[in-house]
Amino acid sequence: MPALYVEFDGPPAEASDLVRDLTGWLGEDEELEVVARARTAPPLPGEQGGLADAAELLTAAGAVIGPLAGAYVMWLAERTKSRRISFRLTRPDGARLELSAASPDEARALQPDLERFVNGLPAPGTPGDGGPAAGGPAAGGPAEGGPAAGSAAPGVTGA
């Protein structure tokens, strides 16, 4: 099963709370075919228990990616009512996308970029997004519309 990781910026305890909140919320949705679990860092010497440092989202099939992105955006929109949330997504291929939202409207506006990224494509407007300016099929570039070797899109990094 491919895994997608979600990490949150901020103090470790706050990031851990967001991870646990997200995994609990996604785990309650019986319609999503996803396993959501917290990845926990080992405790430091003298501490009891570790903090969750990432949400690991495991999917059985690509068909659940759209609903998963939608569910994540709903969760994010609710939490951005009172604060800015910055986060990173990491795909199984090591590509990373860093985003931030400070309001429910900003969170909802991220959904198309999130869906493209988790489906293995770069976010719109970045090199390799599949459009003519990016060297996609209309410009005779890669048929998949993926990033060209050695290209780097803002906010998207490879491993």
Side-chain angles (χ1 to χ4, degrees):
M1 282 198 280
L4 178 70
Y5 291 93
V6 182
E7 300 169 277
F8 296 96
D9 291 340
E14 289 179 25
S16 181
D17 288 346
L18 287 170
V19 166
R20 292 181 192 283
D21 186 44
L22 173 62
T23 56
W25 192 81
L26 289 174
E28 292 175 4
D29 191 333
E30 294 177 10
E31 293 182 21
L32 283 179
E33 295 177 23
V34 64
V35 174
R37 61 185 179 207
R39 183 179 74 188
T40 306
L44 296 173
E47 290 184 351
Q48 292 183 353
L51 295 173
D53 66 352
E56 181 181 25
L57 310 178
L58 301 161
T59 61
V64 300
I65 295 297
L68 176 59
Y72 177 74
V73 166
M74 285 177 39
W75 176 88
L76 184 63
E78 186 62 32
R79 275 108 195 125
T80 56
K81 287 180 179 178
S82 61
R83 63 181 162 167
R84 171 175 294 280
I85 296 179
S86 298
F87 60 96
R88 286 172 306 290
L89 299 172
T90 305
R91 290 192 311 228
D93 65 3
R96 294 176 64 162
L97 177 65
E98 298 184 23
L99 296 171
S100 182
S103 71
D105 288 338
E106 285 183 14
R108 285 187 286 274
L110 297 177
Q111 186 163 347
D113 291 350
L114 290 171
E115 287 178 1
R116 287 181 56 87
F117 181 76
V118 298
N119 279 305
L121 302 171
T126 60
D129 72 354
E144 291 83 34
S151 70
V156 179
T157 58

